[in-house]
Amino acid sequence: MVIYISVAALTVFLGLTVDNHCRIRRGMVSRQQMLNALCLCGIFFILFAVSACRLNVGNDYAKYVEFMHLIRCDAFVPTEFGFNQIVKILYGISGFENYLLVFAFFAFFTILLFCLPFTDRRIPLLSAFSCLWLSGIISSPLTRSGIIWRLP
């Protein structure tokens, strides 16, 4: 839990240093623009590193590992065609059942899509970040762990 709180604090700090309303001069990169790019890349890599290095995290982690093994064996799997093809391609590239590579691949694109709204100059970064972050905090325990169904 300490890791996740540290990641949250560090990403919030990096998000607070971004000013996406700075003036853009043609042919010149300002110090603030460079700081913005570094902070956004830092947020992306911090979130990606934590997501890609997870092992046995989540209710369905073991089930996806089993699905990926069955995909490698050309057995029937109740997953999407695109997921099956991506798993086959990544397993073919790595040469063995490298499920961590598959999880890292999907984490990369998930975090990339998560960070794209931060580059929009019309939306203040702090409000975009807090909306996305708080929606994940509020919905994650309810939808992923099924806590709402366990309430008396």
Side-chain angles (χ1 to χ4, degrees), residues 82-123:
F83 177 78
N84 297 349
Q85 294 305 313
I86 290 172
V87 169
K88 286 181 182 180
I89 290 169
L90 291 174
Y91 277 5
I93 290 171
S94 66
F96 63 99
E97 291 188 16
N98 191 355
Y99 58 88
L100 291 177
L101 176 66
V102 177
F103 284 121
F105 177 83
F106 284 106
F108 177 84
F109 287 105
T110 302
I111 301 298
L112 182 68
L113 291 175
F114 177 79
C115 289
L116 278 179
F118 301 155
T119 61
D120 191 0
R121 291 176 41 93
R122 294 170 294 170
I123 303 169

Side-chain angles (χ1 to χ4, degrees), residues 3-151:
I3 293 174
Y4 291 117
I5 292 172
S6 303
V7 166
L10 186 58
T11 53
V12 167
F13 172 74
L14 289 173
L16 288 173
T17 60
V18 173
D19 177 21
N20 60 351
H21 292 291
C22 63
R23 290 182 62 194
I24 296 178
R25 297 182 190 159
R26 192 173 208 116
M28 236 172 95
V29 178
S30 69
R31 183 178 297 164
Q32 185 62 48
Q33 287 174 314
M34 189 58 70
L35 181 65
N36 291 350
L38 286 173
C39 289
L40 289 175
C41 287
I43 290 171
F44 173 81
F45 285 117
I46 289 168
L47 294 176
F48 172 68
V50 171
S51 298
C53 294
R54 294 180 312 145
L55 191 60
N56 288 328
V57 174
N59 295 338
D60 53 357
Y61 189 90
K63 198 65 167 169
Y64 273 105
V65 171
E66 180 184 345
F67 284 162
M68 288 184 267
H69 171 72
L70 292 174
I71 290 170
R72 176 73 176 203
C73 298
D74 290 327
F76 173 75
V77 181
T79 55
E80 296 85 6
F81 176 76
F83 177 78
N84 297 349
Q85 294 305 313
I86 290 172
V87 169
K88 286 181 182 180
I89 290 169
L90 291 174
Y91 277 5
I93 290 171
S94 66
F96 63 99
E97 291 188 16
N98 191 355
Y99 58 88
L100 291 177
L101 176 66
V102 177
F103 284 121
F105 177 83
F106 284 106
F108 177 84
F109 287 105
T110 302
I111 301 298
L112 182 68
L113 291 175
F114 177 79
C115 289
L116 278 179
F118 301 155
T119 61
D120 191 0
R121 291 176 41 93
R122 294 170 294 170
I123 303 169
L125 179 77
L126 187 59
S127 60
F129 183 74
S130 59
C131 286
L132 290 172
W133 190 272
L134 289 174
S135 68
I137 289 173
I138 292 168
S139 70
S140 180
L142 297 177
T143 57
R144 291 227 172 232
S145 300
I147 291 174
I148 197 161
W149 301 114
R150 296 183 193 144
L151 294 176

